[in-house]
Amino acid sequence: MKTPAGRSTVRPKASVALVVARWNREITDVLAAGAERTAKEAGMSVERFGVAGSFELPAAVALLADTGRFDAVVPIGCLIRGETPHFDVLARSVTDGLMQLSLTYPCAIPFGVLTCDTYEQARQRAGGTEGNKGEETMEAAFDLLALRQMVAKAAPAARRSAAARSGVTSAKRRRSPGKA
Ligand code: DLZ
C-alpha cells in the first residue's frame, strides 16, 4: 500500500472537510492551502470551515464528523508557546480531544496542529525549510482512508473464514433458530 517514499498509493475519491483555526492565521492559511492543494490534486472534494482558535477544533471536528457527509475531517491549527502556561494547557487538551475523536468516528481525522516554541519554527513548517505540514497532514488522512478501504474489502472474506472455522455455513445461518 505504501511506496518506498512512504506515501499511500491508494487514493480513493473522497469528500474532505478542512477546519482551519484563525489564530496565527499567516501560518494556518499556508498549512490549509497545502492541505487543500494536496487533496484536490488527488481528486478529492474539499469544503473549508473556520474556527476562532485551536481550542475550538475538536468541537468543530465532532460536529462535522457527526454529519456523516465527510470521509475525512482535517483540523488545521498553530499553537505558539507564550509566556504563560496557556500553551501547555491548550496543546494537551487539543491533542487529547482530537485523538479521542479519531478513535471514535469512522472518518479519517489526522492531526494538523503545529505546536511550536517560536513563530519562526512555525514559519519553517508552513512552506519553509521543514516543508508544509498541511500537505503531510492530508497525506496522513489518505493513509487512513486507504486503510479503511482495505479493511472494508477484507471484512466479508474475514467473516467467511471465521464462519468456516466455527463450522457455521451460510445454509445453517439462514435456518430459523426454531428449526435448527
Ligand atoms: C488564547 C489562545 C492563545 C493564548 N494562543 C493560541 C495559539 O497559539 N493558537 C491558537 O490556535 N489559539 C490560541 N488561543 C485561542 C484559543 O485556542 C481559543 O480560540 C480561545 O481561547 C477562545 O476559546
Side-chain angles (χ1 to χ4, degrees), residues 2 6 11-12 35 39 47 49 59 67 70 73 85 87 89 94 105 108 118 120 134 147 151 168-169 171 173:
K2 291 250 183 176
R11 298 291 165 87
E47 276 183 63
F49 303 87
T67 67
F70 302 103
V73 182
F87 170 89
V89 174
V94 172
Y105 284 96
T118 65
E120 183 55 21
L147 190 60
V151 168
V168 178
T169 64
R173 274 204 304 275

mmCIF file of all heavy atoms in Angstrom, residues 2 6 11-12 35 39 47 49 59 67 70 73 85 87 89 94 105 108 118 120 134 147 151 168-169 171 173:
data_model
loop_
_atom_site.group_PDB
_atom_site.id
_atom_site.type_symbol
_atom_site.label_atom_id
_atom_site.label_comp_id
_atom_site.label_asym_id
_atom_site.label_seq_id
_atom_site.Cartn_x
_atom_site.Cartn_y
_atom_site.Cartn_z
ATOM 1 N N LYS A 2 2.139 1.094 0.451
ATOM 2 C CA LYS A 2 2.998 2.271 0.527
ATOM 3 C C LYS A 2 4.126 2.201 -0.500
ATOM 4 O O LYS A 2 4.654 1.153 -0.766
ATOM 5 C CB LYS A 2 3.652 2.337 1.925
ATOM 6 C CG LYS A 2 2.682 2.643 3.026
ATOM 7 C CD LYS A 2 2.958 4.002 3.522
ATOM 8 C CE LYS A 2 2.069 4.367 4.678
ATOM 9 N NZ LYS A 2 2.407 5.659 5.207
ATOM 10 N N GLY A 6 7.012 6.189 1.305
ATOM 11 C CA GLY A 6 6.093 6.163 2.429
ATOM 12 C C GLY A 6 4.720 6.719 2.135
ATOM 13 O O GLY A 6 3.905 6.855 3.029
ATOM 14 N N ARG A 11 -5.680 6.072 -3.573
ATOM 15 C CA ARG A 11 -6.251 7.411 -3.470
ATOM 16 C C ARG A 11 -7.740 7.376 -3.741
ATOM 17 O O ARG A 11 -8.186 7.694 -4.840
ATOM 18 C CB ARG A 11 -5.564 8.364 -4.457
ATOM 19 C CG ARG A 11 -4.090 8.561 -4.209
ATOM 20 C CD ARG A 11 -3.884 9.345 -2.907
ATOM 21 N NE ARG A 11 -2.512 9.248 -2.464
ATOM 22 C CZ ARG A 11 -1.540 10.059 -2.863
ATOM 23 N NH1 ARG A 11 -1.793 11.012 -3.692
ATOM 24 N NH2 ARG A 11 -0.326 9.907 -2.391
ATOM 25 N N PRO A 12 -8.510 6.898 -2.781
ATOM 26 C CA PRO A 12 -9.943 6.838 -3.043
ATOM 27 C C PRO A 12 -10.514 8.233 -3.216
ATOM 28 O O PRO A 12 -10.053 9.172 -2.572
ATOM 29 C CB PRO A 12 -10.504 6.186 -1.773
ATOM 30 C CG PRO A 12 -9.481 6.418 -0.723
ATOM 31 C CD PRO A 12 -8.159 6.572 -1.404
ATOM 32 N N ALA A 35 -2.783 21.691 2.432
ATOM 33 C CA ALA A 35 -3.675 20.536 2.627
ATOM 34 C C ALA A 35 -4.717 20.490 1.509
ATOM 35 O O ALA A 35 -4.980 19.433 0.925
ATOM 36 C CB ALA A 35 -4.359 20.636 3.992
ATOM 37 N N ALA A 39 -5.224 17.578 -1.433
ATOM 38 C CA ALA A 39 -6.479 16.827 -1.577
ATOM 39 C C ALA A 39 -7.036 16.976 -2.995
ATOM 40 O O ALA A 39 -7.466 15.994 -3.607
ATOM 41 C CB ALA A 39 -7.495 17.320 -0.556
ATOM 42 N N GLU A 47 -14.328 20.973 1.369
ATOM 43 C CA GLU A 47 -15.108 22.101 1.908
ATOM 44 C C GLU A 47 -14.320 22.656 3.080
ATOM 45 O O GLU A 47 -13.815 21.891 3.918
ATOM 46 C CB GLU A 47 -16.473 21.622 2.406
ATOM 47 C CG GLU A 47 -17.519 21.519 1.333
ATOM 48 C CD GLU A 47 -18.870 21.110 1.912
ATOM 49 O OE1 GLU A 47 -19.432 21.866 2.717
ATOM 50 O OE2 GLU A 47 -19.307 20.007 1.568
ATOM 51 N N PHE A 49 -13.920 25.157 6.496
ATOM 52 C CA PHE A 49 -14.644 25.775 7.608
ATOM 53 C C PHE A 49 -13.631 26.491 8.499
ATOM 54 O O PHE A 49 -12.464 26.094 8.569
ATOM 55 C CB PHE A 49 -15.384 24.708 8.418
ATOM 56 C CG PHE A 49 -16.344 23.879 7.588
ATOM 57 C CD1 PHE A 49 -15.891 22.739 6.919
ATOM 58 C CD2 PHE A 49 -17.665 24.256 7.445
ATOM 59 C CE1 PHE A 49 -16.758 21.979 6.136
ATOM 60 C CE2 PHE A 49 -18.541 23.507 6.664
ATOM 61 C CZ PHE A 49 -18.093 22.365 6.014
ATOM 62 N N ALA A 59 -14.275 20.496 18.875
ATOM 63 C CA ALA A 59 -15.742 20.639 18.803
ATOM 64 C C ALA A 59 -16.199 20.719 17.352
ATOM 65 O O ALA A 59 -17.197 20.092 16.962
ATOM 66 C CB ALA A 59 -16.182 21.884 19.573
ATOM 67 N N THR A 67 -22.087 14.803 10.891
ATOM 68 C CA THR A 67 -22.973 14.951 9.738
ATOM 69 C C THR A 67 -22.940 13.703 8.861
ATOM 70 O O THR A 67 -23.875 13.447 8.092
ATOM 71 C CB THR A 67 -22.570 16.153 8.845
ATOM 72 O OG1 THR A 67 -21.288 15.868 8.248
ATOM 73 C CG2 THR A 67 -22.509 17.454 9.621
ATOM 74 N N PHE A 70 -18.638 13.476 5.423
ATOM 75 C CA PHE A 70 -17.216 13.562 5.046
ATOM 76 C C PHE A 70 -16.467 12.248 5.302
ATOM 77 O O PHE A 70 -16.668 11.604 6.318
ATOM 78 C CB PHE A 70 -16.550 14.704 5.812
ATOM 79 C CG PHE A 70 -17.207 16.032 5.558
ATOM 80 C CD1 PHE A 70 -18.066 16.595 6.496
ATOM 81 C CD2 PHE A 70 -17.006 16.700 4.347
ATOM 82 C CE1 PHE A 70 -18.701 17.806 6.250
ATOM 83 C CE2 PHE A 70 -17.640 17.909 4.088
ATOM 84 C CZ PHE A 70 -18.489 18.463 5.045
ATOM 85 N N VAL A 73 -12.070 14.482 8.065
ATOM 86 C CA VAL A 73 -12.231 15.813 8.662
ATOM 87 C C VAL A 73 -10.844 16.210 9.178
ATOM 88 O O VAL A 73 -10.286 15.543 10.054
ATOM 89 C CB VAL A 73 -13.277 15.820 9.795
ATOM 90 C CG1 VAL A 73 -13.432 17.235 10.352
ATOM 91 C CG2 VAL A 73 -14.616 15.292 9.305
ATOM 92 N N PRO A 85 1.329 29.514 31.026
ATOM 93 C CA PRO A 85 1.116 28.066 30.798
ATOM 94 C C PRO A 85 -0.011 27.765 29.802
ATOM 95 O O PRO A 85 -0.305 26.601 29.539
ATOM 96 C CB PRO A 85 0.739 27.531 32.191
ATOM 97 C CG PRO A 85 1.002 28.618 33.149
ATOM 98 C CD PRO A 85 0.980 29.907 32.407
ATOM 99 N N PHE A 87 -0.206 27.745 26.659
ATOM 100 C CA PHE A 87 0.216 26.883 25.552
ATOM 101 C C PHE A 87 0.116 25.410 25.941
ATOM 102 O O PHE A 87 -0.453 24.602 25.202
ATOM 103 C CB PHE A 87 1.663 27.232 25.150
ATOM 104 C CG PHE A 87 2.283 26.258 24.186
ATOM 105 C CD1 PHE A 87 2.149 26.430 22.811
ATOM 106 C CD2 PHE A 87 3.017 25.173 24.646
ATOM 107 C CE1 PHE A 87 2.722 25.539 21.919
ATOM 108 C CE2 PHE A 87 3.602 24.278 23.762
ATOM 109 C CZ PHE A 87 3.451 24.465 22.397
ATOM 110 N N VAL A 89 -1.523 23.963 28.353
ATOM 111 C CA VAL A 89 -2.902 23.549 28.620
ATOM 112 C C VAL A 89 -3.638 23.325 27.298
ATOM 113 O O VAL A 89 -4.285 22.291 27.090
ATOM 114 C CB VAL A 89 -3.629 24.624 29.469
ATOM 115 C CG1 VAL A 89 -5.104 24.284 29.632
ATOM 116 C CG2 VAL A 89 -2.949 24.762 30.822
ATOM 117 N N VAL A 94 -6.166 20.067 23.209
ATOM 118 C CA VAL A 94 -6.496 19.940 21.773
ATOM 119 C C VAL A 94 -6.020 18.582 21.244
ATOM 120 O O VAL A 94 -6.751 17.888 20.527
ATOM 121 C CB VAL A 94 -5.864 21.105 20.969
ATOM 122 C CG1 VAL A 94 -6.022 20.880 19.473
ATOM 123 C CG2 VAL A 94 -6.511 22.428 21.373
ATOM 124 N N TYR A 105 -14.764 8.269 15.680
ATOM 125 C CA TYR A 105 -15.502 8.391 14.418
ATOM 126 C C TYR A 105 -14.867 7.520 13.336
ATOM 127 O O TYR A 105 -13.640 7.368 13.300
ATOM 128 C CB TYR A 105 -15.521 9.849 13.958
ATOM 129 C CG TYR A 105 -16.491 10.683 14.751
ATOM 130 C CD1 TYR A 105 -16.056 11.435 15.836
ATOM 131 C CD2 TYR A 105 -17.847 10.705 14.430
ATOM 132 C CE1 TYR A 105 -16.945 12.199 16.596
ATOM 133 C CE2 TYR A 105 -18.742 11.458 15.163
ATOM 134 C CZ TYR A 105 -18.286 12.204 16.246
ATOM 135 O OH TYR A 105 -19.170 12.937 16.977
ATOM 136 N N ALA A 108 -11.663 9.673 8.622
ATOM 137 C CA ALA A 108 -10.229 9.893 8.900
ATOM 138 C C ALA A 108 -10.050 11.262 9.570
ATOM 139 O O ALA A 108 -10.492 12.276 9.044
ATOM 140 C CB ALA A 108 -9.450 9.831 7.598
ATOM 141 N N THR A 118 8.472 28.766 18.947
ATOM 142 C CA THR A 118 8.626 30.121 18.392
ATOM 143 C C THR A 118 7.847 30.258 17.082
ATOM 144 O O THR A 118 7.555 29.264 16.397
ATOM 145 C CB THR A 118 10.110 30.419 18.072
ATOM 146 O OG1 THR A 118 10.525 29.519 17.029
ATOM 147 C CG2 THR A 118 11.004 30.255 19.289
ATOM 148 N N GLU A 120 9.082 31.501 14.427
ATOM 149 C CA GLU A 120 9.995 31.097 13.361
ATOM 150 C C GLU A 120 9.898 29.585 13.081
ATOM 151 O O GLU A 120 9.897 29.163 11.921
ATOM 152 C CB GLU A 120 11.436 31.509 13.728
ATOM 153 C CG GLU A 120 12.493 31.212 12.668
ATOM 154 C CD GLU A 120 12.154 31.822 11.292
ATOM 155 O OE1 GLU A 120 11.352 32.775 11.216
ATOM 156 O OE2 GLU A 120 12.702 31.293 10.294
ATOM 157 N N GLY A 134 0.848 21.037 6.373
ATOM 158 C CA GLY A 134 -0.540 20.852 5.928
ATOM 159 C C GLY A 134 -0.628 19.750 4.884
ATOM 160 O O GLY A 134 -1.556 18.937 4.889
ATOM 161 N N LEU A 147 -6.522 2.642 4.386
ATOM 162 C CA LEU A 147 -6.636 1.539 5.340
ATOM 163 C C LEU A 147 -8.106 1.163 5.537
ATOM 164 O O LEU A 147 -8.470 -0.010 5.548
ATOM 165 C CB LEU A 147 -6.018 1.971 6.676
ATOM 166 C CG LEU A 147 -5.814 0.888 7.727
ATOM 167 C CD1 LEU A 147 -4.893 -0.205 7.216
ATOM 168 C CD2 LEU A 147 -5.239 1.506 8.998
ATOM 169 N N VAL A 151 -9.667 -2.469 4.771
ATOM 170 C CA VAL A 151 -10.364 -3.235 5.808
ATOM 171 C C VAL A 151 -11.793 -3.539 5.380
ATOM 172 O O VAL A 151 -12.300 -4.640 5.593
ATOM 173 C CB VAL A 151 -10.333 -2.447 7.146
ATOM 174 C CG1 VAL A 151 -11.281 -3.055 8.158
ATOM 175 C CG2 VAL A 151 -8.918 -2.416 7.698
ATOM 176 N N VAL A 168 -19.956 -22.858 10.934
ATOM 177 C CA VAL A 168 -21.263 -22.295 10.581
ATOM 178 C C VAL A 168 -21.277 -22.006 9.087
ATOM 179 O O VAL A 168 -20.475 -21.224 8.597
ATOM 180 C CB VAL A 168 -21.518 -20.978 11.358
ATOM 181 C CG1 VAL A 168 -22.859 -20.373 10.940
ATOM 182 C CG2 VAL A 168 -21.488 -21.250 12.848
ATOM 183 N N THR A 169 -22.168 -22.653 8.358
ATOM 184 C CA THR A 169 -22.289 -22.390 6.923
ATOM 185 C C THR A 169 -23.382 -21.374 6.698
ATOM 186 O O THR A 169 -24.209 -21.142 7.581
ATOM 187 C CB THR A 169 -22.643 -23.683 6.164
ATOM 188 O OG1 THR A 169 -23.924 -24.082 6.622
ATOM 189 C CG2 THR A 169 -21.621 -24.777 6.399
ATOM 190 N N ALA A 171 -25.901 -21.801 4.883
ATOM 191 C CA ALA A 171 -27.178 -22.514 4.933
ATOM 192 C C ALA A 171 -27.669 -22.601 6.375
ATOM 193 O O ALA A 171 -28.839 -22.366 6.673
ATOM 194 C CB ALA A 171 -27.020 -23.906 4.343
ATOM 195 N N ARG A 173 -26.823 -20.595 8.781
ATOM 196 C CA ARG A 173 -27.181 -19.256 9.286
ATOM 197 C C ARG A 173 -28.573 -18.850 8.828
ATOM 198 O O ARG A 173 -29.275 -18.152 9.523
ATOM 199 C CB ARG A 173 -26.151 -18.225 8.811
ATOM 200 C CG ARG A 173 -24.953 -18.120 9.734
ATOM 201 C CD ARG A 173 -24.296 -16.766 9.575
ATOM 202 N NE ARG A 173 -23.913 -16.507 8.186
ATOM 203 C CZ ARG A 173 -22.782 -16.918 7.647
ATOM 204 N NH1 ARG A 173 -21.906 -17.600 8.363
ATOM 205 N NH2 ARG A 173 -22.516 -16.664 6.389
#
